[in-house]
Amino acid sequence: MTGPTAVTTAPARPGSRARRPSLGRIAAWAVMGAIVLVTLLPFYWILRTALSGNAALAVDPADPLPVKATTGGFARALGLQSTEEAIAQGGSGGGLRFWRYLLNSVVVSTLITGCQIFFSAMAAYAFARLRWRGRDTVFGLFLAGLMVPAIFTLLPNFVLIKQLGLIESLLGIALPTMFMTPFAVFFLRQFFLNVPGEVEEAALLDGAGKVRIFFRVLLPMASTPVLTLAVLTYITSWNDYFWPLMVSYSDSSRVLTVALAIFRAQTPQSGVDWSGLMAATLVAALPMLALFGFFARRVVGSIGFTGIK
Amino acid sequence: MTMASSSPPTRRPAPGGDGRLAAVFIAPALLGFVVFLLWPTLRGVYLSFTRFNLLTPAEWVGLDNYVRMVHDPIFWDALRVTVGYVLVNIGVQTVSALAIAVLLQRLTGSALLRGIVLTPYLMSNVVAGIVWLWILDTQLGIGNEIVAGLGFDRIPFLADETWAIPTIALINVWRHVGYTALLLFAGLQAIPDEMYEAAKVDGAGEWRMFWRITLPLLRPVLAVVLIMTVIGSFQVFDTVAVTTAGGPGNATNVLQYYIYGAAFGRFQFGYASAMSVALLVVLSAITVLQYRLTRAGRSDLG
C-alpha cells in the first residue's frame, strides 16, 4: 500500500490555472515542519544531555550542543563506572544492572511475540477457514473479550500468577499475553478471510492437507500482516510497565522499563543525574528504534483497520 | 471496516466439517483466553464483593466495597482528575492526529514522514515521561529556558496543581498521536481520489473538500479510533507513576494510580477490584454511548 502521489492543491480561484505554490500549501508545509520538529527535537535533546557532563548541565542549560562532552552518562547507565566515580560525576551510585534488564526485556518480548502471533494465527485460521460447530459462538466470545480493558484483568491475573507461584519469573510476566490477544486474532482472521478460496482449492487438489495448507500456503501469504503485528506486539510488550511492575520485585526478573523507573526514583530531588538518566532512556529506547527502522517500509503501510471493528 | 461476514468464501464443506482439526488449531488461543481473560474478568467482579489482602482467603462482604467507594472523597477526586486528563488528552490528540493524517494524505505521499511521526510511539510511556520531566524541569529544562527567554516566569509544569494534569496529558499526546494519525490515515486511503478530483473541477478548495468529503467519509473510522483512544486514555498510569507519583497533593492521582495504591500499597484487593469494576462500567457506558451517537456500525467504506 503506497501513499497517494502528491496532489496539487486546488487553485485559489476557480478557473485560474496557477501552478505556483499557493499560500495554503506553504502554510500546510509549515505546519508539517513544525510537527516534525516537535516530534524529533526531544530525541536530539536526549542525546545532547546524555553526552554532557552532569555538573555542566546546570551551568549551561540552554546550549544546543553537549556541554563538557563525556560518555560518563552512558558508563553510569550501563553500570560500567565504579560507585565512587559515579558519585563524583553526579550519579546516585545506585547502578543499573543494565545488561541483565536488557536480557530480561528481550526474553519476555520475544516469548510473548513469538507465541502470541503463532497461536493467534492458528486460531484466526480456524475462525476464517475451517467449518465447525460453535465457531460463531466462540468467536462472539472473543469479540466480547476485546471489550474488556486490559487493565481490568491485571489485578485478578496477579492473584492467579501468585497462586501459580510464578511471581518473580519472566514466564509470569509473559503468560497473560503469550497465548493470544483478541486483537491479534481479529487482525489475522480478517486477512485470512480475504484470501481467495481458489488458492486453497488448488492446494487441496494437489493433495495437500489443511494443516499443510496453513503452514505452506496461507502463513507465507500473510507475511506482511504477521510482520506488522509482530513489530507492534514486540514494541507493546517491550514498553509495558504496569504489569511487570506488579510481577517482579528483584533484579532476576526485572525488565528495562521497571528498572528505568527505579533509576529515576533513586535520583535525589535536587541534583538529579540527568545525563545518566537520559543515557539510560536512550539505551532503553534504542532497540525499538532499530527494530522499527529495519522493518519500517513494510510495517508503516499496513498499520490500519485490518481487523478492528 | 464493515464486519466481514462470518462465513468464509464459498467452499464445498467437507462432510462433517473440520471439527477435530479446528479444535487443535483453536486450543492454545482458547486456553489463553479462558485462563487469562475470561476467568480473571469474572474473578475481578467476584473479588469486588470481598475483603481480600492476598494472605488470607477472600471473605464475602457483599456491597461493602461499593458503599465505601461512593463515600470515598479521594475516589471521586481521582475520577474527576482522570476525566480532566482524558478531556485534554483526547481533545488535543484527535485534532492533531486528524491534521497530521490529512496532511499526509493531501500534501505529500512521503513514507519517510509517516515513519517520522511514529517515532515517539516506539518509546515507552516511562521513557517519554522521564524525557519530558527533564525538558520541562523548572530550573534546567530547555522548555523552561525557552519560556524564560520569551520573558515569562518559569512554569513548574509537573510540580503545580493546575499545570500537572494538562502537562501529563500533552506528554501522552506526544507519544501516541503518530500512531493515531496512521490509523486515521489508513481510513483516508479508502476515500477514492476521484471524489477529490471531481470536487476540484467544481472549484472546491482544500478547506471545503475537508468538510464536505474527508470528514463525512472518515466519520466511521474516526468513531472507532475515538473509542479506542478514550478507553486507552482512561487507563493512564505509567506517565503519572514516573513523573509526579500522583502529586502534588492529589492533583494527578488518576484512578488507575489510586487503584494500584489500594492494591499494592494497602493490600485492599477487594476495594481495588471494586474501583476497577467501576472503571469497567464507565468505559462500557462510553463505548455504547459513542456507538449510538456516531452509528459507527454503519460505514460507507469497505
Side-chain angles (χ1 to χ4, degrees):
Chain A
M1 196 165 101
T2 51
T5 47
V7 274
T8 47
T9 44
R13 290 188 316 280
S16 89
R17 287 209 163 276
R19 264 273 170 243
R20 59 190 172 73
S22 64
L23 264 179
R25 217 175 150 72
I26 292 167
W29 272 113
V31 171
M32 197 73 224
I35 290 165
V36 170
L37 274 184
V38 172
T39 303
L40 294 183
L41 274 181
F43 287 89
Y44 173 72
W45 208 243
I46 299 172
L47 189 64
R48 174 261 180 198
T49 308
L51 289 171
S52 295
N54 204 32
L57 285 173
V59 182
D60 220 343
D63 190 329
L65 292 171
V67 280
K68 288 268 191 307
T70 164
T71 53
F74 286 98
R76 279 195 299 288
L78 298 174
L80 302 173
Q81 277 184 342
S82 66
T83 309
E84 299 78 31
E85 198 182 359
I87 290 175
Q89 290 193 14
S92 67
L96 267 178
R97 292 183 54 204
F98 179 84
W99 299 110
R100 177 79 222 212
Y101 310 137
L102 180 76
L103 182 67
N104 287 345
S105 278
V106 169
V107 169
V108 167
S109 301
T110 308
L111 198 61
I112 289 176
T113 306
C115 296
Q116 184 197 109
I117 306 262
F118 183 62
F119 294 146
S120 296
M122 283 170 62
Y125 173 70
F127 282 132
R129 297 306 233 185
L130 298 176
R131 302 170 148 265
W132 41 287
R133 214 175 320 150
R135 186 182 67 183
D136 295 351
T137 314
V138 176
F139 188 67
L141 206 62
F142 272 70
L143 194 67
L146 205 58
M147 296 292 156
V148 179
I151 225 144
F152 182 75
T153 53
L154 292 189
L155 282 183
N157 264 330
F158 170 80
V159 176
L160 178 64
I161 294 289
K162 193 167 168 59
Q163 285 170 337
L164 292 172
L166 289 170
I167 294 290
E168 291 283 20
S169 74
L170 296 179
L171 186 64
I173 298 176
L175 265 179
T177 46
M178 223 170 93
F179 294 98
M180 57 110 236
T181 58
F183 173 76
V185 175
F186 280 102
F187 187 88
L188 293 171
R189 171 182 173 265
Q190 208 66 14
F191 176 83
F192 288 138
L193 280 175
N194 292 332
V195 174
E198 290 79 37
V199 173
E200 235 173 328
E201 271 166 28
L204 279 171
L205 286 176
D206 286 346
K210 289 202 165 156
V211 176
R212 197 170 152 174
I213 290 176
F214 171 71
F215 284 105
R216 287 293 168 81
V217 182
L218 287 171
L219 216 47
M221 277 179 84
S223 66
T224 298
V226 162
L227 184 71
T228 302
L229 192 60
V231 170
L232 287 179
T233 306
Y234 209 94
I235 290 170
T236 305
S237 44
W238 183 274
N239 288 339
D240 195 14
Y241 171 66
F242 202 176
W243 174 248
L245 175 73
M246 288 181 173
V247 176
S248 77
Y249 301 100
S250 69
D251 273 354
S252 64
S253 62
R254 189 162 288 153
V255 294
L256 265 177
T257 42
V258 178
L260 210 53
I262 291 174
F263 192 51
R264 133 94 178 115
Q266 278 175 345
T267 55
Q269 276 302 312
S270 57
V272 177
D273 175 14
W274 287 116
S275 81
L277 204 49
M278 287 304 118
T281 59
L282 190 61
V283 180
L286 218 48
M288 288 310 97
L289 291 168
L291 176 83
F292 179 73
F294 196 74
F295 291 118
R297 268 192 188 291
R298 287 180 70 183
V299 169
V300 163
S302 59
I303 288 177
F305 286 102
T306 339
I308 320 169
K309 173 64 184 69
Chain B
M1 282 275 314
T2 42
M3 192 64 182
S5 64
S6 54
S7 59
T10 48
R11 274 197 301 115
R12 280 185 303 282
D18 312 308
R20 283 167 62 188
L21 185 63
V24 173
F25 268 78
I26 202 91
L30 194 61
L31 174 82
F33 179 83
V34 170
V35 176
F36 295 108
L37 192 77
L38 183 63
W39 163 241
T41 304
L42 299 174
R43 195 182 202 177
V45 176
Y46 162 76
L47 284 177
S48 73
F49 296 105
T50 65
R51 185 177 300 125
F52 182 43
N53 63 2
L54 268 188
L55 305 171
T56 50
E59 164 197 356
W60 185 266
V61 293
L63 287 171
D64 279 12
N65 289 321
Y66 290 95
V67 170
R68 177 181 165 186
M69 188 169 79
V70 172
H71 293 115
D72 180 358
I74 302 178
F75 166 78
W76 290 109
D77 204 36
L79 194 60
R80 193 183 50 77
V81 167
T82 309
V83 169
Y85 165 88
V86 170
L87 288 176
V88 177
N89 179 265
I90 295 300
V92 177
Q93 179 170 233
T94 307
V95 173
S96 317
L98 194 56
I100 294 170
V102 171
L103 284 172
L104 288 173
Q105 177 209 20
R106 305 294 298 154
L107 189 66
T108 163
S110 160
L112 176 68
L113 278 177
R114 267 182 276 155
I116 287 174
V117 298
L118 201 63
T119 39
Y121 184 75
L122 307 175
M123 315 181 116
S124 58
N125 289 332
V126 171
V127 167
I130 293 174
V131 168
W132 284 96
L133 190 70
W134 162 232
I135 291 177
L136 299 174
D137 187 79
T138 315
Q139 295 310 323
L140 301 178
I142 184 69
N144 257 314
E145 288 293 314
I146 294 169
V147 169
L150 294 171
F152 296 101
D153 286 344
R154 288 171 180 267
I155 302 166
F157 286 100
L158 286 156
D160 178 272
E161 295 207 2
T162 318
W163 283 96
I165 273 289
T167 302
I168 291 174
L170 292 180
I171 291 172
N172 282 336
V173 169
W174 178 79
R175 194 206 150 205
H176 289 275
V177 72
Y179 187 69
T180 310
L182 284 193
L183 290 177
L184 293 177
F185 177 79
L188 291 174
Q189 295 293 69
I191 301 175
D193 257 346
E194 291 77 35
M195 300 192 71
Y196 292 104
E197 295 300 325
K200 211 185 287 187
V201 171
D202 292 345
E206 285 293 335
W207 189 243
R208 221 168 98 200
M209 287 195 224
F210 172 78
W211 290 104
R212 292 283 171 80
I213 300 172
T214 309
L215 206 54
L217 286 178
L218 190 67
R219 219 189 51 182
V221 175
L222 197 57
V224 174
V225 170
L226 209 57
I227 291 172
M228 283 168 46
T229 48
V230 167
I231 288 176
S233 185
F234 259 97
Q235 302 178 39
V236 57
F237 173 84
D238 307 0
T239 325
V240 170
V242 295
T243 55
T244 60
N250 274 333
T252 57
N253 188 18
V254 289
L255 200 51
Q256 205 52 57
Y257 197 75
Y258 187 48
I259 290 173
Y260 177 78
F264 289 89
R266 299 182 291 282
F267 294 104
Q268 301 161 340
F269 273 80
Y271 187 42
S273 299
M275 290 193 285
S276 292
V277 172
L279 183 61
L280 184 67
V281 170
V282 168
L283 293 182
S284 308
I286 288 172
T287 308
V288 171
L289 195 71
Q290 279 192 320
Y291 249 86
R292 284 274 163 80
L293 284 178
T294 51
R295 299 200 307 279
R298 290 180 43 198
S299 157
D300 317 336
L301 302 170

